[in-house]
Amino acid sequence: MDARVGAGLRRLARTAGLLALTLVFITPYVWMVGSAFKPRAELFAHMTPLSWQTFVPLSPTLQNFTELFTQYQFARPLLNSLFVALGAMVLSTAINSQIAYVLAWIEFPGRELLFVAILATLFVAFEAKLIPLYLITQRMGLHNTYLGLMVPWLADAYFIFLLRQHFRELSPELKEAALLDGCSYFRMYWNVMLPNIIPGLISAAFIKFIFTWDSYIWPVLVITDESMSVVTVALARLFSDEGVRWELLFAGSFVATVPVLIVFLFLQRYYVQGFLNSGIKG
């Protein structure tokens, strides 16, 4: 009886802890969504003391969104970010999955050393690579191009590590059967191995989508044409010497999170399964 009571109390405490953690993470987002529909005069009127009026607009309005998409032409940066994030996600998945497959299943001298060298790049901060990346893209004529925006996100050591773990979890019999059937290494990768790590691919692709979508420093460096601005740069332009358009910033931030939420809601089952099957769990 005491053991059952203790187990019940532990489950209750764990549930309460998870609910508290969820509340901590979701409260700022609820505040942002509510503020997106508030007129400027009401925006900070009920900040203290904290109450339901802090989160719920008393006079809801769509004026913030109207001004954002008409005066500030927010649709173009939104579409640019979507195109760049999806493009980087697809190209990165194609490139890194092949590298991971080679490192997991094809034996050659120096394979493990090469893998360690790739992992070592994880310890190099992105800021340390900015100047070399900038010079390379400049000499390649990729400034003010969509491909130039994607370049830093194409090769990814963590992506390679994650997918290599998934490939190594597969049974060696798959490789032996494919070779007996006369499959080339690429055909074995495409027809045999890749379909068996779909959750891992989706997990890695979603991470890549988020990183590309949230990038700010790199787009600022390589894009000078306003028509090619991405959503993070467009939001930063709402800060000026004259002040901050907080009502538009909240509206823009809300709009910018919608594509990410939609992608996550559709892929969350595969995303969680991908990490559970990756071999990282210990």
Side-chain angles (χ1 to χ4, degrees):
M1 181 66 178
D2 291 340
R4 288 199 298 270
V5 171
L9 289 175
R10 284 193 296 272
R11 284 196 298 270
L12 183 62
R14 186 163 55 246
T15 302
L18 290 173
L19 287 174
L21 190 62
T22 301
L23 188 63
V24 168
F25 279 99
I26 203 172
T27 298
Y29 186 76
V30 173
W31 177 54
M32 179 192 71
V33 174
S35 299
F37 295 92
K38 289 182 179 181
R40 185 177 181 83
E42 186 189 328
L43 203 56
F44 298 107
H46 304 285
M47 288 298 298
T48 53
L50 202 65
S51 67
W52 65 270
Q53 294 172 320
T54 307
F55 305 97
V56 180
L58 302 179
S59 305
T61 179
L62 293 176
Q63 180 60 35
N64 298 337
F65 298 95
T66 302
E67 186 175 351
L68 189 68
F69 282 95
T70 54
Q71 183 177 338
Y72 288 88
Q73 305 295 321
F74 197 70
R76 183 61 185 266
L78 199 62
L79 291 174
N80 287 340
S81 282
L82 191 60
F83 179 78
V84 171
L86 289 174
M89 181 182 71
V90 171
L91 291 174
S92 182
T93 302
I95 294 169
N96 293 300
S97 64
Q98 293 182 63
I99 297 173
Y101 162 72
V102 170
L103 292 173
W105 285 104
I106 300 179
E107 296 183 6
F108 57 89
R111 183 182 67 170
E112 297 304 318
L113 183 61
L114 177 60
F115 179 59
V116 171
I118 290 173
L119 288 183
T121 63
L122 288 171
F123 296 96
V124 181
F126 179 69
E127 290 76 10
K129 299 181 285 186
L130 274 178
I131 295 177
L133 278 171
Y134 180 85
L135 295 175
I136 290 170
T137 53
Q138 185 183 49
R139 291 172 184 174
M140 294 176 66
L142 295 178
H143 283 198
N144 287 317
T145 65
Y146 290 116
L147 185 57
L149 284 169
M150 300 177 194
V151 162
W153 321 116
L154 297 185
D156 189 321
Y158 178 72
F159 205 143
I160 294 168
F161 167 73
L162 182 64
L163 294 185
R164 180 179 178 270
Q165 293 298 108
H166 280 276
F167 279 123
R168 288 173 66 89
E169 289 289 315
L170 299 179
S171 172
E173 282 75 14
L174 282 173
K175 178 182 178 182
E176 295 172 6
L179 291 175
L180 285 174
D181 285 342
C183 286
S184 64
Y185 280 115
F186 181 78
R187 187 180 171 192
M188 180 169 61
Y189 154 79
W190 185 257
N191 292 335
V192 180
M193 301 298 181
L194 211 57
N196 283 286
I197 63 161
I198 294 299
L201 283 174
I202 292 176
S203 299
F206 180 71
I207 293 172
K208 183 59 60 179
F209 181 89
I210 295 295
F211 268 85
T212 311
W213 184 272
D214 287 343
S215 63
Y216 171 73
I217 297 177
W218 182 250
V220 168
L221 287 177
V222 299
I223 298 297
T224 56
D225 184 354
E226 282 195 22
S227 66
M228 296 197 65
S229 290
V230 294
V231 68
T232 50
V233 177
L235 288 173
R237 287 184 180 141
L238 296 174
F239 293 84
S240 67
D241 294 336
E242 298 175 0
V244 181
R245 299 296 306 274
W246 288 108
E247 69 280 14
L248 301 186
L249 189 62
F250 281 118
S253 298
F254 169 61
V255 171
T257 61
V258 170
V260 178
L261 284 175
I262 291 174
V263 171
F264 178 72
L265 289 174
F266 275 104
L267 302 180
Q268 61 174 327
R269 179 166 62 93
Y270 299 100
Y271 180 72
V272 175
Q273 185 181 350
F275 276 102
L276 291 177
N277 295 338
S278 65
I280 302 176
K281 55 185 179 294

